[in-house]
Amino acid sequence: MKALKTRQATIFDVARLAGVSHQTVSRVLNDLPNVRPTTRDKVEVAIRQLSYTPSPAARALVTRRSATIAVLNTGAADFGPASIAIGLCEAAGPANYTVTMSNSGGSDPESIRSVIVQFVRQNVEAIVVIAARSASLEALSGIDLDIPLLTIESAGRPGFHSVSLDQYRGARLAVRHLIDLGHTRIEHVAGPSDSLDALERLRGWRDELGEAGIAAPRPLQGSWTPDSGSDAATELLARSDRGTAVFVANDQMALGFMHTLERAGIHVPDDISVIGYDDIPEAAYFTPPLTTMKQDFDALGRQIMGHLLEVLRDPAAPSPTRFVPSLVVRESVRALR
Amino acid sequence: MKALKTRQATIFDVARLAGVSHQTVSRVLNDLPNVRPTTRDKVEVAIRQLSYTPSPAARALVTRRSATIAVLNTGAADFGPASIAIGLCEAAGPANYTVTMSNSGGSDPESIRSVIVQFVRQNVEAIVVIAARSASLEALSGIDLDIPLLTIESAGRPGFHSVSLDQYRGARLAVRHLIDLGHTRIEHVAGPSDSLDALERLRGWRDELGEAGIAAPRPLQGSWTPDSGSDAATELLARSDRGTAVFVANDQMALGFMHTLERAGIHVPDDISVIGYDDIPEAAYFTPPLTTMKQDFDALGRQIMGHLLEVLRDPAAPSPTRFVPSLVVRESVRALR
DNA sequence: CAGCCCGATGTGAGCGATCACATGCCACCC
DNA sequence: GGGTGGCATGTGATCGCTCACATCGGGCTG
C-alpha cells in the first residue's frame, strides 16, 4: 500500500501536470464556473493521479473558514450525549466537515469561555453545545460570536439556534400514559436542577398533572445516575404517603429506583408503576422491563448537522421541528384497579 | 463582555505595539532563549493588551504540525469507548492539544483508509483508534504513516503503539474467582469475534480454565448488546448440560443474559453464577447486583494522552504498564456447594 | 469591420505564522 | 586595540492556498 510519507502534492504540482495555472486548479477544486469541461477533466485526472487533497491549513489561513465544527460536551459518558456526539460525527464526514471535540470538565463560566475562545481562534464555523447545563448556557450567553452557536436543549433560549428533542412533550406523554391508566397520584424523580433537560421534563410532568386537575407532589431530586435513583427511592419510602406511579426522568435512575424499591418489598408494577425516559438499550432487560419514552439520539445528531449546514448557508434558517419521543410500553407500568 | 467579532490581532500588531520585530514576538511565543527579560515583558504586555492568540492555521501551514490529535471511534455509543474518548478530551486540553473525532460507521478498509488520509492531510500529530475491531486494525496495518498510531486494544500488535487495559489478565481474574468458589464447569458468553478485546477475554477464560485442568466448553457468541446476551441465554437453555457459572464478556450482555435466565426459571446466583466485565454504573442495580471486573476507563483516557505526549517527544518511548481490572464482588456469584 | 463584451485562463498579492540567515552590539582576550 | 564570539534582534523567504485583477480570444452587434 502506498506510503503516506512522501510529501503531499500541492496545487502547483497538479497545475504543472495538467498544463494549466494553479488558479484553474483552484477553480476546479471549488466547483467554480467558467472552466471548459475539457480543462476540468484534465485537472481532475491530474488530481487523481497525484492523489492530491488540498491542505486544510492553507485553506483555513486564507479563507478564515476551517470546515470544522466544534462540539463542546459538558456532561459525562452518558448514553444520550455520547450517542448525539457519534451521530454528529457520522453526519459531519459526508458533509465534508471535521469535528473537533472538547470536554470542559467544569461548567464554570471561565473554563467554558476559554474553550470557546480557543474554538474561535481555530476558525471553527459553528459551535455545538451538548448536554447543556443551564450554567453553561449562562456562561455562553454573554459571548458575542459571529458564528452560529447551537445548543441541544429544550428551552429554546433566544439568541442561540437550538435543536432538540421535545422533552416537554415527551414528559407530558409519559405522565399522560400514567393518567390514562387511572393513576392520580404521580411522583417524579427529577434530574439535576442545573440541567435544562431535567427542568423541561419536570415542567412537562407538572403541567400534564395540572391539566388533569391533579396536584403535583414534591418531586424527588436525582442526578441522572443509578445511585441517585436509588437514593430517591429511599427518600420516597420514608414518606408517609406516596403515589401509585412514578415518572423517573431517565432510565438509569429508574433502574436504581426500582431496585431499591424491590429490596424494600415494594414491587413494580404491582405496588407502584414506574415509567422512565430515554429507552437505553438496557431498559428492556430491567426487572421488570421498563416502560419508557424512546428518544432517537442518532437521528438527532444527524438532524443537528443538517440544520447546521442550513444555518451556515442562511443564518436566519428556522429551527427544524423537534422530535417527539415515543412511548415504549413494557412491564413496569400497570393500570390502577 | 468583549465581542469576539473584531478582527483578531496578528503577530505584527503585537510587534508594533511592543516596538519590536515580529520575530521577537514569535520567540516569546515559543519560549525560545535569547530574548532579554525586559523585551520579553514588553511583548507579553502587548499580547495581553491585544488578547492575542496565534493562529493555529498559519502555524500549521508552516510547521506542518497542528497540535491536534485525531480520534477514530469505530464502535457505538458504548460506555467504554465513550468514557475513553471523554478522558482523552479532558487530558488533551491542559496539554494544549486539540482533539478531532471521526466515526467511521463501517470498518471496511476503504472507509477507514479514507478517514486516515483525511487525518494525515490535516497534519494531525497522532491518531488514536478506539474500540478497535480486528478488521479496522487490519486496514490500518497496511498504511505507512510517519506519525504515531495508538490503538486501544490488548493484543499488542507489532507496529503500533498500544495502550490498553489488560483484558487478558482481567478475564483470568474473573474466571479464577469462579474457580476459587468451587465451580468446575464455567461457560463463556463472548463478545463479537471481530473485537480484539473480546478475543482477549475469551483467551483469558480459556487459559485460566486450562491451567486449572478444566476443559473449556464451547463459548456462546454475543455482540456486546443486552439483546445478544439474552440470545446467548436462550441458546444455553437449549443445551442438555450446562455449567454452574458463566463468565459474560461485558455487563450489558450479562444483563440480558440474567434476565432471560430468570424468565426461564433459572435463578442467579442460586442455580447459576454470573460474572460480568466493565462495571458500568448500572451494574450495582441489576437483579441481582452483578459481580464484575471494574475497568477504569477514565484513567485509561488520561494515560493515553500522557503516553502520546511522551511518544511525540521520543518515538521509542516504551508502552506504559497496563491497568489490570479489579474484581467487584456483588451478588450474582455464589460458592458451589 | 470596428467595437464591445464575456467566457476562459493566468498573474501576483496576501493570509499569519516560522525558519534560516544577516546584522549590530558589547565584552573579552591576547 | 583589533579580532572574535556570543547574545539580542531584525529581514526576507516560505508554507499552500484563495482572491482580486489582468489578459487574451472569439463571437455578436451596429
Side-chain angles (χ1 to χ4, degrees), chain B residues 63-231:
Chain B
T63 60
R64 292 148 191 287
R65 307 178 350 106
S66 57
T68 295
I69 72 160
V71 174
L72 175 59
N73 192 351
T74 57
D78 290 331
F79 177 71
S83 305
I84 293 174
I86 288 182
L88 257 166
C89 287
E90 276 174 359
N96 276 321
Y97 270 83
T98 288
V99 173
T100 173
M101 274 263 253
S102 195
N103 263 75
S104 132
S107 61
D108 59 298
E110 219 25 72
S111 74
I112 294 217
R113 199 183 144 72
S114 82
V115 172
I116 300 285
V117 166
Q118 197 199 332
F119 281 156
V120 168
R121 211 59 232 295
Q122 271 179 60
N123 297 321
V124 302
E125 296 185 28
I127 299 178
V128 177
V129 181
I130 300 185
R133 315 217 223 124
S134 39
S136 330
L137 285 192
E138 240 36 272
L140 253 33
S141 63
I143 307 180
D144 188 11
L145 293 167
D146 56 357
I147 54 173
L149 181 64
L150 248 92
T151 60
I152 300 177
E153 49 94 17
S154 314
R157 296 244 171 157
F160 314 133
H161 296 268
S162 87
V163 173
S164 62
L165 300 159
D166 195 336
Q167 317 269 350
Y168 176 74
R169 292 228 3 234
R172 291 194 63 153
L173 287 172
V175 174
R176 178 84 254 156
H177 179 61
L178 298 174
I179 293 177
D180 284 348
L181 291 175
H183 292 277
T184 53
R185 166 133 191 198
I186 299 171
E187 311 277 353
H188 180 48
V189 178
S193 59
D194 66 346
S195 154
L196 290 166
D197 286 349
L199 258 33
E200 283 297 288
R201 294 176 202 177
L202 176 68
R203 195 166 66 88
W205 164 72
R206 192 167 272 147
D207 285 3
E208 188 68 29
L209 246 39
E211 204 161 279
I214 302 173
R218 189 162 46 82
L220 297 153
Q221 190 61 52
S223 61
W224 294 147
T225 64
D227 288 339
S228 71
S230 166
D231 292 347

